[in-house]
Amino acid sequence: MPTIKYGVLKLKKINKIFLFASLVMVLQFTTMICGCKSKPVISGVPVYTFNALDSEGAMYIHIPPKENQELLVAFVKNIYKGLSTDDAELIVSKLEDVYASFGSKKDKKRVQVALKGNVPSIVKSLLKKNGFEEKTYNAKSLIQSKIAPYSYFDNGDIQISFPSANQILISQSIPVFIDMFNMEKEVCNSEIVFETPFREDWKGCDLYKWISEEIPSIHFYIVRPQAFLTNLIGADISTRVFKLVYAKGDFTKLPNQKYELTLDLEFQNKIYVKPAISILILTLGLTDSEIHQVSDTHIKLTGVHLNSNQLINMLGL
């Protein structure tokens, strides 16, 4: 099993994720009312936040806020210039879970962000004062139940919905996002026994299991690697050599406050593996990091150490 040294990976900007910038604005409103506490009222079984995302994304990521506060604070300050560290820390402290997907077959720029956190109800009125128009949407139903319309806020560029007392959905097109949330809610709370479990294939696939693991590391999974590998390794070579089935990895926080990257690459055919390794050596340079060939079609990159700013740049956040 070969061990090959290579350089720190650099990722070009995948997307500035202006949706997250809006999240920052939404949560910054809480700094104005941080002395007020709202009591979330949740009826029935709550929807697992990741389940609100559909299965059409090209890339998925899960960032556990509790274990990655410094990273998220740096990220928030990076996209919201001029924000104080205290305000950024307060914003991040409101979050309990962050899930997102980027791109789809139909729209490479599509973003879906699903968050769990304690957001006071007054935020909705503050959104209205900042150019967001409140609208309603009648969500699709699996069981044709009579449900109250969902409200969402639209400023012409992005849309934000608060489908429960402690969950937030953000996207350019929120209706399909709300549809999925509502159907998951019906499945969670319906007494109807479905012949086939809802989204059985999706919830049983490797991607779903990888992203939903309840561990402190940041997990990502790239479903359509050809579209994203150029950003991941900093070279335009994905369509020539990197014929991949998928790419997945995680960033684990180290005691020295840095992060260590582990990246798995599964190739379509073994003939692509050796050329890909050769290009990685030429492209990435030399450090103490390693490339391991796990099987004829699989390589694993380990030992890449990054600080928070490098990680933000790498993910394009």
Side-chain angles (χ1 to χ4, degrees):
M1 184 179 297
T3 298
I4 304 169
K5 294 183 178 181
Y6 72 106
V8 174
L9 307 182
K10 276 191 95 173
L11 178 65
K12 296 176 181 177
K13 297 289 183 183
I14 292 176
N15 195 316
K16 271 298 183 184
I17 314 179
F18 63 93
L19 303 176
F20 266 113
S22 294
L23 162 66
V24 171
M25 180 183 68
V26 170
L27 292 180
Q28 190 185 26
F29 289 148
T30 65
T31 65
M32 300 164 59
I33 50 173
C34 58
C36 304
K37 293 185 178 179
S38 60
K39 288 187 177 181
V41 179
I42 302 175
S43 58
V45 180
V47 174
Y48 173 42
T49 305
F50 179 44
N51 284 350
L53 274 64
D54 65 25
S55 58
E56 300 300 316
M59 178 180 178
Y60 292 81
I61 189 168
H62 174 210
I63 306 177
K66 182 179 179 182
E67 295 82 5
N68 300 285
Q69 296 265 322
E70 181 184 357
L71 170 68
L72 286 173
V73 167
F75 160 61
V76 167
K77 291 183 68 178
N78 186 52
I79 62 173
Y80 202 147
K81 306 299 183 183
L83 187 67
S84 72
T85 299
D86 287 345
D87 283 350
E89 289 175 347
L90 181 58
I91 289 168
V92 171
S93 72
K94 301 293 181 182
L95 298 176
E96 298 175 32
D97 247 331
V98 177
Y99 295 94
S101 73
F102 309 104
S104 68
K105 284 184 178 179
K106 295 181 180 179
D107 184 0
K108 292 181 180 180
K109 295 182 179 180
R110 192 197 75 160
V111 179
Q112 290 188 334
V113 182
L115 306 125
K116 183 179 180 182
N118 180 26
V119 181
S121 57
I122 195 173
V123 168
K124 297 179 181 180
S125 61
L126 292 171
L127 279 174
K128 293 179 182 178
K129 292 179 180 179
N130 284 268
F132 282 81
E133 179 185 355
E134 185 172 10
K135 300 179 179 179
T136 59
Y137 174 69
N138 294 311
K140 292 181 180 178
S141 170
L142 282 175
I143 57 179
Q144 302 303 313
S145 60
K146 188 175 182 180
I147 55 175
Y150 285 81
S151 67
Y152 66 94
F153 298 84
D154 185 356
N155 73 349
D157 293 318
I158 65 161
Q159 299 170 347
I160 303 171
S161 180
F162 303 85
S164 76
N166 64 347
Q167 288 169 306
I168 309 168
L169 306 180
I170 306 174
S171 185
Q172 300 102 320
S173 179
I174 210 76
V176 292
F177 213 171
I178 293 174
D179 285 341
M180 186 60 68
F181 182 91
N182 185 66
M183 288 186 283
E184 286 286 351
K185 181 179 179 181
E186 289 179 330
V187 170
C188 289
N189 294 279
S190 174
E191 294 181 356
I192 296 175
V193 178
F194 294 87
E195 254 183 60
T196 302
F198 185 53
R199 305 172 80 192
E200 181 179 27
D201 291 343
W202 167 244
K203 294 176 182 177
C205 73
D206 182 55
L207 185 161
Y208 185 92
K209 293 175 182 177
W210 181 254
I211 295 296
S212 61
E213 281 191 14
E214 294 297 331
I215 56 178
S217 62
I218 300 166
H219 278 192
F220 64 91
Y221 196 112
I222 308 174
V223 183
R224 300 181 183 89
Q226 267 60 48
F228 285 93
L229 195 60
T230 294
N231 294 315
L232 191 61
I233 66 175
D236 188 16
I237 56 177
S238 60
T239 57
R240 294 191 289 110
V241 174
F242 285 79
K243 304 291 186 180
L244 293 166
V245 178
Y246 68 82
K248 70 177 183 180
D250 65 81
F251 299 96
T252 302
K253 194 169 186 179
L254 303 173
N256 63 4
Q257 301 304 305
K258 288 190 175 183
Y259 287 83
E260 181 173 323
L261 168 67
T262 298
L263 177 66
D264 284 270
L265 301 174
E266 177 65 29
F267 290 80
Q268 296 175 10
N269 190 296
K270 65 181 181 181
I271 64 173
Y272 300 117
V273 173
K274 287 186 178 179
I277 290 175
S278 297
I279 290 178
L280 283 172
I281 296 171
L282 293 173
T283 304
L284 302 171
L286 298 172
T287 69
D288 292 331
S289 307
E290 299 176 342
I291 302 175
H292 306 275
Q293 185 170 345
V294 179
S295 71
D296 287 345
T297 58
H298 195 104
I299 62 176
K300 180 186 287 287
L301 287 68
T302 61
V304 180
H305 290 181
L306 308 161
N307 60 35
S308 295
N309 289 332
Q310 288 172 316
L311 180 52
I312 288 172
N313 291 333
M314 186 177 193
L315 291 174
L317 300 181

